[in-house]
């Protein structure tokens, strides 16, 4: 199956570069380009891509607000935010808005391709340089404008799985931690996302931190 991608960036040269990288892969295809956030929202609604590569700083509507509008309209498209700015506030804002990942633009082409595939699968995706710093320092101290979903519908095991998702563990790592099969863990993850009305693992990470299920690491 070919993954369909929309590229949103106000610089034509950047969009062209991303298109060349993406279209060179047999399983990826750029189906649209946007030069501002408003256009990105429109194209996402019209084309329903699997992944939107979203720049943060764009005219008319910035990437954070565009991400929020895409999430709020119920689009199944996942947003992967890319920026040249390693700014924690941008990461938190993107996650709160509904982004499925956050990467810096200086990543290698192969890493970008892997990131698109991972985002389409619904895997949590943050640049390693900012992952735990952001989660531990900011998600706990930056209030969500909307209250997090209730955990009352989760079983004890599902709460445990949610806490481990909050540590950015993969299904294989969770399975090892719980001494369960990876297939069983996958079923638990699916149930957690469905019961809490979450789009993907990134939103589950945010919810886990909002509910205090993940303890900050000691320095």
């Amino acid at each position: 199956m070919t993954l369909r991608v929309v590229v949103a960036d106000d610089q034509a040269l950047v969009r062209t570069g991303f298109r060349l990288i993406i279209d060179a892969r047999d399983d990826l295809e750029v189906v649209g380009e946007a030069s501002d956030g408003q256009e990105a929202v429109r194209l996402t609604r019209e084309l329903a891509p699997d992944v939107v590569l979203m720049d943060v700083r764009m005219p008319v509507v910035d990437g954070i607000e565009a991400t929020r509008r895409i999430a709020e309209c119920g689009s199944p498209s996942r947003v992967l935010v890319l920026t040249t700015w390693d700014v924690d506030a941008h990461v938190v804002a993107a996650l709160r808005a509904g982004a499925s990942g956050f990467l810096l633009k200086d990543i290698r082409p192969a890493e970008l391709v892997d990131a698109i595939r991972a985002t389409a699968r619904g895997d949590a995706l943050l640049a390693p340089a900012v992952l735990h710093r952001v989660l531990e320092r900011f998600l706990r101290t930056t209030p969500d404008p909307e209250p997090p979903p209730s955990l009352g519908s989760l079983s004890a095991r599902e709460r445990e799985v949610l806490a481990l998702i909050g540590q950015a563990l993969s299904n294989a790592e969770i399975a090892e931690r719980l001494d369960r099969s990876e297939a069983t863990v996958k079923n638990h993850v699916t149930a957690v996302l469905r019961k809490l009305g979450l789009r993907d693992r990134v939103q589950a990470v945010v919810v886990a931190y909002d509910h205090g299920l993940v303890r900050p690491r000691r320095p």
Side-chain angles (χ1 to χ4, degrees):
M1 183 183 75
T2 300
L3 298 177
R4 303 167 72 251
V5 181
V6 162
V7 178
D9 195 291
D10 61 337
Q11 297 184 39
L13 186 60
V14 172
R15 296 197 306 274
T16 299
F18 283 155
R19 177 183 282 275
L20 289 174
I21 293 170
I22 294 168
D23 285 347
R25 272 63 179 185
D26 292 338
D27 62 331
L28 303 177
E29 177 188 10
V30 174
V31 295
E33 296 183 20
S35 59
D36 60 66
Q38 182 171 288
E39 188 176 10
V41 174
R42 179 183 62 79
L43 286 178
T44 300
R45 289 173 175 170
E46 291 178 359
L47 302 175
D50 298 288
V51 176
V52 181
L53 292 183
M54 184 79 73
D55 187 26
V56 170
R57 297 195 172 192
M58 290 189 292
V60 187
V61 172
D62 65 37
I64 303 300
E65 177 59 26
T67 298
R68 181 175 294 106
R69 294 182 187 182
I70 289 171
E72 288 178 348
C73 77
S75 170
S77 304
R78 292 189 167 100
V79 177
L80 177 56
V81 174
L82 293 108
T83 181
T84 56
W85 302 86
D86 182 6
V87 179
D88 292 330
H90 288 168
V91 181
V92 174
L95 295 180
R96 294 290 189 201
S100 295
F102 186 102
L103 292 174
L104 303 180
K105 285 184 179 178
D106 61 359
I107 63 172
R108 299 173 182 176
E111 293 173 330
L112 173 63
V113 169
D114 288 342
I116 293 171
R117 293 168 178 154
T119 300
R121 291 194 304 267
D123 293 343
L125 192 66
L126 286 172
V130 299
L131 174 58
H132 287 293
R133 184 183 75 221
V134 169
L135 294 181
E136 295 176 359
R137 181 180 174 190
F138 283 88
L139 286 180
R140 281 281 188 84
T141 58
T142 306
D144 190 343
E146 297 293 333
S150 170
L151 303 186
S153 62
L154 301 184
S155 67
R157 176 63 77 186
E158 288 165 352
R159 286 174 64 98
E160 189 174 10
V161 168
L162 176 59
L164 294 173
I165 293 174
Q167 297 177 36
L169 298 183
S170 66
N171 285 355
E173 291 169 329
I174 294 174
E176 182 177 0
R177 187 78 62 91
L178 298 180
D179 193 24
R180 294 290 187 273
S181 71
E182 192 169 343
T184 297
V185 169
K186 183 178 180 180
N187 288 338
H188 285 316
V189 171
T190 300
V192 168
L193 299 181
R194 175 177 51 80
K195 289 182 178 181
L196 298 182
L198 305 177
R199 291 164 56 88
D200 49 41
R201 296 175 78 100
V202 167
Q203 285 194 323
V205 170
V206 174
V207 169
Y209 270 81
D210 282 340
H211 280 284
L213 298 182
V214 183
R215 296 179 180 178
R217 295 180 176 182
R218 293 183 178 182

